[in-house]
Amino acid sequence: MSKIASDKLMARMKKEPQRRKRPYEEEHRIQCACVQWFYFKHPELRGRLFAVPNGGKRNVVVAAKLKAEGVVSGVSDLILLRRNRNYGALLIEMKGEKGKQTELQKEWESIVCRDGEFKYVVCHSLGDFVREVEDFLNNV
């Protein structure tokens, strides 16, 4: 490769925008930070907040087994099993900064919130999560 071609290639590479991180990676980082904060701030509730590993790529056989075992599409990412004055549990859907609920997530939300027994929230950041959890727990 000639020096000129090499220089052009290097210049083009510098101009190309950085690849945007996939939304799942952003959501993963936010959810990990939220869980860490929760267990640091509320160690007495360890085990009451847990993730529902519904997402991710799975082959057809594994997906069929999970479905037969009762996996439900659209279930929230995190569940806090703690009653407060108004609700039996807090259901938390984590999203990246620009993330939106899927139709299956909206459908599940409407099913589980139909009778007002559970509180469902969508959090886009650690700040959202902290605010929602603290508001929920302060209403005990």
Side-chain angles (χ1 to χ4, degrees):
M1 182 181 292
S2 73
K3 171 84 169 123
I4 294 172
S6 174
D7 289 346
K8 284 183 179 179
L9 181 59
M10 291 301 289
R12 188 178 327 140
M13 287 174 64
K14 288 180 183 175
K15 287 182 183 177
E16 287 182 22
Q18 292 291 326
R19 289 182 66 177
R20 186 175 166 274
K21 290 188 177 178
R22 294 184 314 216
Y24 176 78
E25 292 173 7
E26 180 186 15
E27 183 179 309
H28 168 75
R29 282 193 337 274
I30 294 168
Q31 184 167 326
C32 288
C34 292
V35 170
Q36 277 186 311
W37 171 86
F38 183 83
Y39 285 132
F40 175 77
K41 179 77 172 163
H42 299 285
E44 74 283 3
L45 296 176
R46 184 169 283 281
R48 297 280 192 108
L49 176 75
F50 57 90
V52 178
N54 260 6
K57 302 257 184 218
R58 293 185 169 74
N59 66 44
V60 175
V61 174
V62 172
K65 285 180 177 180
L66 291 172
K67 190 172 184 178
E69 290 174 0
V71 169
V72 175
S73 296
V75 173
S76 61
D77 294 312
L78 295 167
I79 297 176
L80 175 57
L81 289 180
R82 174 68 185 245
R83 176 172 296 285
N84 75 7
R85 276 187 257 172
N86 302 319
Y87 302 102
L90 179 61
L91 314 171
I92 306 161
E93 179 60 38
M94 299 302 305
K95 292 294 176 190
E97 182 182 336
K98 296 179 182 179
K100 294 183 180 183
Q101 286 178 286
T102 66
E103 288 306 313
L104 286 171
Q105 290 167 341
K106 290 176 184 177
E107 183 180 324
W108 187 78
E109 176 187 4
S110 70
I111 291 167
V112 298
C113 293
R114 190 174 296 140
D115 62 4
E117 185 177 352
F118 304 111
K119 182 173 183 181
Y120 183 102
V121 296
V122 177
C123 294
H124 295 271
S125 67
L126 175 60
D128 288 351
F129 178 84
V130 169
R131 183 183 64 254
E132 292 292 349
V133 167
E134 291 299 316
D135 286 352
F136 185 86
L137 293 176
N138 286 331
N139 193 19
V140 171

